[in-house]
Amino acid sequence: MNFNIKFIYAALIITIVGGLVAHSLVQHAQDLGDRLDNANQDSSFVKPEYKKGNLDMMIDYRICNIGCITKEQYQSIQGNKNDLKRFSIYPGQKISGEVFVQGEISGGYFFEGNILINILDINKKILKAGHISATSDWMTSGVVSFEGKVDTTDIVDGSVYIEIHNDNASDDPKNEKSILIPVIIEN
């Protein structure tokens, strides 16, 4: 009989603790939902197309403490920034060595599946030129995914820009377009 009472007490304690943990998880999920609602309503946040529940896009843009960039960071991006839909490096980020990048861009930046990605000094002079490749159909003016590596190993520490530049096969200056994202090199 004594064993059965201990078993019942143990089962009761496990049930209470389990209930408290479950309640805590539900409360955390509700708090996250409230934060998403606030982020979508607050005018200090950018990219209004990122609605509640679209965590993938919000995490990549790092606006506020739930994973996206601030309005000030968004404003620090120069050039055709509205063409950039997603990028794995955010403004002001510290980077070093070879950095794997991925993102999505619209507006016809690719030629033969390549897009130019350069590192510029603060005067916007090229320190290192490179290219990365499309990972989806690139023959469109719609959104195209891309990925590759940016190598910062030979670059002196300090503020630079990562430039995403269209591969302009025509060499016509009127077709040039680019996006400049300020970052900090720390090798």
Side-chain angles (χ1 to χ4, degrees), residues 42-48 61-63 68-82 84 89-92 124 161 178-183:
D42 188 333
S43 63
S44 69
F45 296 102
V46 294
K47 298 294 181 186
Y61 262 106
R62 305 180 206 282
I63 297 173
C68 301
I69 63 173
T70 64
K71 183 177 181 181
E72 290 76 22
Q73 285 175 310
Y74 182 73
Q75 290 173 341
S76 72
I77 300 172
Q78 298 177 24
N80 301 76
K81 62 183 161 189
N82 291 331
L84 188 62
I89 296 177
Y90 58 92
K124 301 179 184 164
Y161 293 100
S178 66
I179 302 160
L180 295 126
I181 302 162
V183 296

Side-chain angles (χ1 to χ4, degrees), residues 78-81 109 163-166 176-180:
Q78 298 177 24
N80 301 76
K81 62 183 161 189
Y109 278 71
E163 178 190 41
I164 302 170
H165 196 286
N166 69 322
E176 296 288 323
K177 52 186 172 176
S178 66
I179 302 160
L180 295 126

Side-chain angles (χ1 to χ4, degrees), residues 44-121:
S44 69
F45 296 102
V46 294
K47 298 294 181 186
E49 66 269 27
Y50 300 154
K51 302 297 183 200
K52 179 180 173 183
N54 193 351
L55 291 176
D56 178 52
M57 295 302 284
M58 295 184 78
I59 289 167
D60 283 328
Y61 262 106
R62 305 180 206 282
I63 297 173
C64 73
N65 60 353
I66 55 173
C68 301
I69 63 173
T70 64
K71 183 177 181 181
E72 290 76 22
Q73 285 175 310
Y74 182 73
Q75 290 173 341
S76 72
I77 300 172
Q78 298 177 24
N80 301 76
K81 62 183 161 189
N82 291 331
D83 292 344
L84 188 62
K85 305 305 177 195
R86 187 174 61 83
F87 194 55
S88 57
I89 296 177
Y90 58 92
Q93 182 173 341
K94 295 176 182 176
I95 61 174
S96 63
E98 282 192 353
V99 181
F100 179 77
V101 297
Q102 58 186 168
E104 294 176 349
I105 197 165
S106 64
Y109 278 71
F110 292 84
F111 179 69
E112 297 297 330
N114 291 313
I115 187 171
L116 304 177
I117 190 153
N118 303 315
I119 300 174
L120 311 180
D121 66 15

Side-chain angles (χ1 to χ4, degrees), residues 167-176:
D167 195 350
N168 181 8
S170 72
D171 288 327
D172 187 343
K174 72 177 183 175
N175 294 329
E176 296 288 323

